[in-house]
Amino acid sequence: MKIYRAKTYEDMSRKAANIISAQIIMKPDAVLGLATGSSPIGAYKQLIDWYNKGDLDFSEIRSVNLDEYKGLGPDDEQSYAYFMKENLFKHVNIKPENTYIPNGLEEDTEYECRRYNGIIAGLGGIDLQLLGIGGNGHIGFNEPGEAYDKETHCVALTENTIKANARFFDSMDQVPKFAYSTGIKNIMQAKAILLIASGESKAEAVYNMICGPITPACPASILQLHNNVSVVADQAAMAVYDQRMS
Ligand code: GLP
């Protein structure tokens, strides 16, 4: 695990965008595993900026998103499909037909999970998987306690995650309780992983990810076993690590 320290959220975003853009330049038709949440917004902004300056070309890039709320369609402003369109896709020259996100409106769970795993396999796997991290150590929507050998599956979100995500909704009742998420197995099969973390609410999870035992109780701890993981974390997210390791 390579740890890159950043001073602030902006610094973290720029460093993360540098790693993503290196991947795009080295392999113009790379398969990017993309993430949502507040963590990657700054990195996406930076990528858009470099695209506008003519430094990046997304025309052959393929993307597979980590997850989507079950029950929300792409026109719903809270869906991850909508998030991706607003925060990245509509600003760059990625082809819409090359962007994949689980279909939140598909009620047949088994069908959707099989379909999505088939898409990832059909693309030849993920070259670079971008991840945020939940305060409880979740990655994608792989909540504590989930088996490590899962591929795309339907998740019952924990109370903790529902509360954390409520800030994007008008009320708690509106936060979906289920989501489709790629599994730890899909994530671990990515050739390279880039995890970004910002803020003190992530500090305990970041410490457990780097130093804790490898256990489903902290899903991100499995990343210790992957041979190409970069973590870009700002000072606040590194605080518990710094305190305990000093
Ligand atoms: C959600 C997403 C995760 C994300 C996490 C942290 O649960 N499914 O992919 O990493 O939130 O979000 P944020 O970056 O907003 O803190």
Side-chain angles (χ1 to χ4, degrees):
M1 209 178 258
K2 284 166 275 181
I3 319 268
Y4 298 99
R5 287 167 180 275
K7 287 188 196 74
T8 58
Y9 177 84
E10 288 68 32
D11 189 23
M12 174 199 79
S13 300
R14 197 178 165 83
K15 286 185 163 72
N18 263 304
I19 295 172
I20 300 167
S21 64
Q23 174 68 70
I24 296 171
I25 291 163
M26 285 188 300
K27 190 175 177 192
D29 64 346
V31 178
L32 301 179
L34 297 179
T36 52
S38 39
S39 304
I41 291 178
Y44 292 154
K45 277 205 180 106
Q46 182 65 76
L47 292 173
I48 293 165
D49 194 34
W50 287 332
Y51 166 76
N52 286 331
K53 287 186 174 134
D55 291 340
L56 283 179
D57 177 17
F58 290 80
S59 60
E60 300 305 321
I61 290 292
R62 283 84 50 80
S63 74
V64 225
N65 260 79
L66 276 172
D67 44 20
E68 178 61 284
Y69 288 119
K70 194 170 181 196
L72 302 191
D75 296 331
D76 192 310
E77 290 185 15
Q78 308 299 344
S79 72
Y80 286 169
Y82 190 89
F83 173 102
M84 288 310 301
K85 193 174 76 186
E86 291 302 309
N87 287 291
L88 182 63
F89 296 158
K90 78 175 191 190
H91 305 285
V92 298
N93 65 338
I94 195 164
K95 295 184 182 119
E97 64 271 27
N98 285 344
T99 64
Y100 300 93
I101 299 183
N103 177 6
L105 292 180
E106 179 57 64
E107 283 175 15
D108 184 340
T109 302
E110 245 176 70
Y111 167 83
E112 182 54 16
C113 294
R114 210 177 330 112
R115 185 188 76 87
Y116 206 64
N117 285 327
I119 287 171
I120 299 172
L123 291 169
I126 295 166
D127 290 302
L128 176 64
Q129 176 66 60
L130 175 63
L131 295 174
I133 184 168
N136 60 5
H138 76 240
I139 44 180
F141 266 135
N142 293 281
E143 297 281 23
E146 292 236 42
Y148 277 157
D149 60 354
K150 280 201 178 155
E151 296 189 283
T152 308
H153 58 299
C154 182
V155 186
L157 302 177
T158 62
E159 206 54 40
N160 184 308
T161 299
I162 293 170
K163 271 193 202 135
N165 292 350
R167 66 190 194 277
F168 300 112
F169 292 81
D170 291 335
S171 75
M172 276 281 278
D173 301 347
Q174 289 175 14
V175 190
K177 308 290 179 292
F178 293 90
Y180 286 118
S181 180
T182 54
I184 298 284
K185 186 170 173 182
N186 303 107
I187 292 171
M188 289 297 282
Q189 282 172 340
K191 293 182 190 89
I193 294 175
L194 166 60
L195 185 140
I196 52 178
S198 169
E200 58 182 340
S201 66
K202 306 295 172 68
E204 186 75 35
V206 166
Y207 171 78
N208 288 330
M209 167 180 71
I210 303 171
C211 301
I214 298 169
T215 163
C218 174
S221 62
I222 187 78
L223 300 178
Q224 292 174 34
L225 297 181
H226 193 285
N227 66 8
N228 190 351
V229 178
S230 303
V231 174
V232 184
D234 68 11
Q235 254 162 16
M238 290 301 286
V240 172
Y241 176 91
D242 288 340
Q243 197 186 355
R244 294 193 190 148
M245 299 307 278
S246 65

